[in-house]
Amino acid sequence: MPTDTKRIRGPEVSHSLSRFVCKPDTTSLPSDGARADGRSRDQVDVRPMFVRCGLVSQAKGSAYIEAGDTKLICCVYGPKETERKDETDMKCGRLFADMRFAPFACPERGPWIQGSQEKDLSLMVLESLQSAVCLHKYPRSQIDVNVMVLENSGSALAHAITCASLALADAGIEMYGLVLGCSIRQDGDSYLIDPTFLEECGGCQSSGENQGSLTVSFLPNLNQISGLQSDGEMAEGTLAAGVRACIEGCYKLYPVIQQALIKAVRGAGPLPIES
Amino acid sequence: MATVQLSEAEKVYVLHGIRDDLRVDGRSCEDYRHVEIETDVVSNTDGSAKVTLGHTAVLVGVKAEMAKPRPAAPEEGYLEFFVDCSANATPKFEGRGGEELGMELTNTLYRVFNNKHSVDLGSLCISPGEHCWLLYVDVLLLQCDGNLYDAISIGIKAALFNTRIPKVLISEGEEGGTEIELSDDPYDCVRLAVDNVPCMVTLCKVGPRYVVDATLQEKACSVASLIMAVTPAGTCTCMRKVGGGSLDPESVFEMTEAGKRVGKSLHGPLVALLSQEESLGKKRQKVGFLG
């Protein structure tokens, strides 16, 4: 927030220490065998996940996800009356998604203002969720989804999608199904599922073939892909194999998310009987 | 995005046509509309191109400026993209109306060029850590009739093909620093290798099938489309799903295969056309914006 004079601002130009540190050898991810955290390559070996609903009492629904060191929190507000009255299509509700990184989330400090990368990620979250929410049940109203990445240790987008759909479910928004996100990082012939931050960054530096990353959001109960985003260079066959791996990863996460949701519903007590 | 209103009956008509592989304008599902390309249309740029695809018109200008290399890559130049949705294209873009779409297009372009092989960034370096070329790629939408992504990517490839960066000489200055000297000859230029610049293909899922180069009417019938950036070798540098709908995995695989096929076949004629235009030299009849 550049206009906030009360905030103590640092000098105009400052550099992160990481620029002076010898670069860890990210380009040479060990091409075979185990990954740095003990998981193996080419296997749908997602990081263990901790999930909980309903942490933020003010929000209609909220969820928290922790996978490895990636930590995210998501809040859902609404349905409430839409702020934008100019839209002609009032028969359907409108979904707004906003994804932000905390300034301290990444190794290098980020800005407070939402950058274009975060806007791009917000759009991806929105498009992934849009097809899953029964928006026609909420005419003339809007639903806000806010995702905050507290700590980014890779695959933030994939987990943000999962977290957001869980928060929507926790808020009692009618949906066709849960949306789960999963990402892979392609490194030559092998893939790394649910990559960590170091594994994610290594891709930009190496110049070999088939270096890229892919994020898929998937509705397991309907068998539908609601979001897809890839980056870097990949052959078409690799891409298809990557999508399959991501779908498999989503199926692995599905029971965990379901359990968390069931637990949240049980904890909330019996549903009030409507007359 | 500019949209058209379609009645249910019109939608059914479009849908049934596509099911039978015959679209409203007579094309089959994997056909492009008529494409016109003209390069070197704006004299103030280092490279420019105007592309019309059906009624979609896009103007791309490339301007080279000297900048300091990014600290993360001291031996490389870089590209900056900006897509401007002017109110000329549709009144909806007036004021800040086009900002959202412009941002989406710009971010996709960054993603498409976010790899080592699309553009040889090393050739844009003048002196490592000190000076490099920064190419501003500015895209202006003049008319919107669907399929913006494909038109923009063709325009960018043509404009980069047309780009001529002046040669500079680096010499030792008197006080030990380096001095940069611009070549006196305006024709003493460096060209950019554009062989690997990808083209984007948008596949619109309409009913059970998908179409390439959808018009606005067809886009109105579709809930989701897949965008792929394909290099001449057939590798995919970016893929994303746009639109609010979802796709079934099988159709995603089918569409990526078709996208690769269509994208690969796009490069040959495009490069041939560009070199043909260049070979005409000064004799070429300029068409400009009224053509």
Side-chain angles (χ1 to χ4, degrees):
Chain A
M1 282 169 233
T3 51
D4 189 355
T5 51
K6 290 188 186 72
R7 187 189 299 278
I8 300 168
R9 281 180 290 168
E12 278 190 7
V13 184
S14 63
H15 298 292
S16 164
L17 278 180
S18 64
R19 194 184 296 174
F20 305 103
V21 176
C22 287
K23 285 258 160 70
D25 211 1
T26 47
T27 47
S28 61
L29 300 168
S31 56
D32 52 314
R35 292 155 65 177
D37 49 6
R39 291 181 286 160
S40 45
R41 285 171 165 252
D42 286 323
Q43 268 172 31
V44 187
D45 205 359
V46 291
R47 285 179 283 189
M49 198 185 248
F50 174 81
V51 193
R52 183 150 296 173
C53 290
L55 292 113
V56 182
S57 55
Q58 301 292 314
K60 189 86 188 295
S62 60
Y64 172 80
I65 279 188
E66 201 175 306
D69 280 335
T70 301
K71 291 165 192 146
L72 311 125
I73 195 160
C74 175
C75 292
V76 171
Y77 292 89
K80 60 190 176 190
E81 196 179 348
T82 181
E83 283 163 17
R84 284 203 226 165
K85 294 268 161 61
D86 54 330
E87 301 297 330
T88 44
D89 194 14
M90 291 297 242
K91 278 181 224 144
C92 268
R94 282 171 67 88
L95 194 67
F96 290 92
D98 187 49
M99 179 170 170
R100 275 166 203 268
F101 285 90
F104 42 77
C106 299
E108 284 188 24
R109 186 182 179 272
W112 271 97
I113 322 159
Q114 196 179 33
S116 66
Q117 190 217 354
E118 280 160 297
K119 281 189 182 153
D120 195 33
L121 294 174
S122 305
L123 182 69
M124 178 72 185
V125 172
L126 176 69
E127 281 178 349
S128 303
L129 296 173
Q130 221 167 23
S131 53
V133 180
C134 304
L135 283 172
H136 58 275
K137 300 250 183 175
Y138 302 96
R140 305 178 71 85
S141 50
Q142 75 173 52
I143 300 161
D144 288 332
V145 179
N146 298 304
V147 187
M148 180 59 113
V149 181
L150 303 174
E151 214 176 315
N152 181 13
S153 173
S155 318
L157 175 62
H159 294 307
I161 292 162
T162 314
C163 193
S165 85
L166 193 60
L168 277 169
D170 185 49
I173 307 286
E174 284 189 56
M175 292 203 283
Y176 296 110
L178 280 169
V179 192
L180 303 183
C182 189
S183 59
I184 60 155
R185 157 94 165 79
Q186 190 72 37
D187 180 36
D189 293 331
S190 62
Y191 64 80
L192 309 163
I193 206 153
D194 195 8
T196 63
F197 192 75
L198 270 185
E199 286 168 341
E200 244 175 17
C201 292
C204 329
Q205 267 105 49
S206 48
S207 56
E209 294 286 306
N210 273 339
Q211 298 285 343
S213 51
L214 170 74
T215 304
V216 172
S217 58
F218 184 68
L219 287 117
N221 63 336
L222 295 174
N223 191 33
Q224 288 276 310
I225 291 174
S226 67
L228 194 69
Q229 170 151 320
S230 90
D231 205 342
E233 284 175 290
M234 280 191 269
E236 186 252 324
T238 327
L239 211 53
V243 173
R244 281 199 184 91
C246 283
I247 290 175
E248 210 178 310
C250 290
Y251 275 119
K252 280 214 164 169
L253 294 175
Y254 196 35
V256 182
I257 306 296
Q258 276 179 319
Q259 285 303 317
L261 201 56
I262 291 168
K263 205 175 155 192
V265 173
R266 288 232 175 90
L271 288 170
I273 301 155
E274 286 177 33
S275 55
Chain B
M1 167 75 79
T3 45
V4 285
Q5 297 280 330
L6 276 193
S7 68
E8 280 307 309
E10 281 173 303
K11 275 189 184 172
V12 168
Y13 180 71
V14 171
L15 223 77
H16 282 190
I18 286 168
R19 198 187 55 194
D20 300 334
D21 202 13
L22 183 67
R23 290 153 72 177
V24 177
D25 43 12
R27 291 180 288 159
S28 72
C29 285
E30 286 184 18
D31 284 346
Y32 268 88
R33 282 171 287 179
H34 183 66
V35 186
E36 274 177 30
I37 304 167
E38 189 181 8
T39 56
D40 208 9
V41 280
V42 187
S43 56
N44 276 339
T45 57
D46 294 295
S48 61
K50 190 201 168 214
V51 171
T52 49
L53 179 65
H55 288 296
T56 301
V58 176
L59 182 63
V60 183
V62 179
K63 259 186 171 305
E65 278 185 17
M66 242 182 250
K68 207 175 155 64
R70 288 182 171 153
E75 289 173 17
E76 286 177 355
Y78 55 102
L79 276 78
E80 289 280 356
F81 295 97
F82 183 73
V83 182
D84 184 26
C85 306
S86 76
N88 284 333
T90 148
K92 266 192 188 162
F93 291 160
E94 209 187 322
R96 305 185 65 168
E99 212 170 61
E100 219 167 277
L101 176 68
M103 181 71 83
E104 190 185 330
L105 291 162
T106 310
N107 284 330
T108 310
L109 287 178
Y110 276 113
R111 209 168 267 282
V112 166
F113 285 88
N114 180 23
N115 60 70
K116 286 275 159 187
H117 298 107
S118 285
V119 176
D120 181 17
L121 295 174
S123 67
L124 294 175
C125 181
I126 301 167
S127 61
E130 296 288 329
H131 301 281
C132 71
W133 286 112
L134 160 56
L135 297 185
Y136 285 103
V137 181
D138 293 298
V139 181
L140 190 64
L141 303 182
L142 299 172
Q143 275 189 70
C144 286
D145 186 24
N147 210 13
L148 292 173
Y149 285 94
D150 300 24
I152 288 172
S153 75
I154 293 172
I156 288 177
K157 183 154 181 163
L160 288 176
F161 179 86
N162 183 237
T163 301
R164 278 157 181 79
I165 304 167
K167 252 192 194 146
V168 288
L169 294 167
I170 306 162
S171 53
E172 284 285 310
E174 282 165 19
E175 281 127 37
T178 50
E179 253 177 36
I180 289 188
E181 208 178 310
L182 202 67
S183 172
D184 291 332
D185 183 8
Y187 292 100
D188 193 13
C189 296
V190 188
R191 297 189 60 176
L192 217 59
V194 293
D195 304 325
N196 272 325
V197 174
C199 276
M200 283 194 261
V201 179
T202 312
L203 298 134
C204 244
K205 177 99 178 160
V206 182
R209 294 183 74 136
Y210 51 83
V211 293
V212 162
D213 189 20
T215 58
L216 279 182
Q217 278 94 339
E218 284 161 344
K219 200 167 188 305
C221 302
S222 128
V223 285
S225 39
L226 201 67
I227 291 162
M228 281 178 82
V230 189
T231 61
T235 45
C236 175
T237 64
C238 171
M239 175 163 80
R240 71 181 298 173
K241 189 222 80 171
V242 291
S246 61
L247 299 165
D248 138 81
E250 280 316 309
S251 65
V252 169
F253 300 139
E254 223 172 275
M255 281 156 90
T256 50
E257 213 184 299
K260 179 193 160 193
R261 193 172 59 234
V262 174
K264 258 175 100 169
S265 63
L266 209 59
H267 287 277
L270 176 61
V271 172
L273 209 67
L274 288 171
S275 4
Q276 196 195 336
E277 190 196 14
E278 198 182 52
S279 67
L280 289 174
K282 287 238 155 75
K283 290 180 293 177
R284 175 169 70 94
Q285 194 195 348
K286 298 219 170 182
V287 181
F289 301 100
L290 300 169

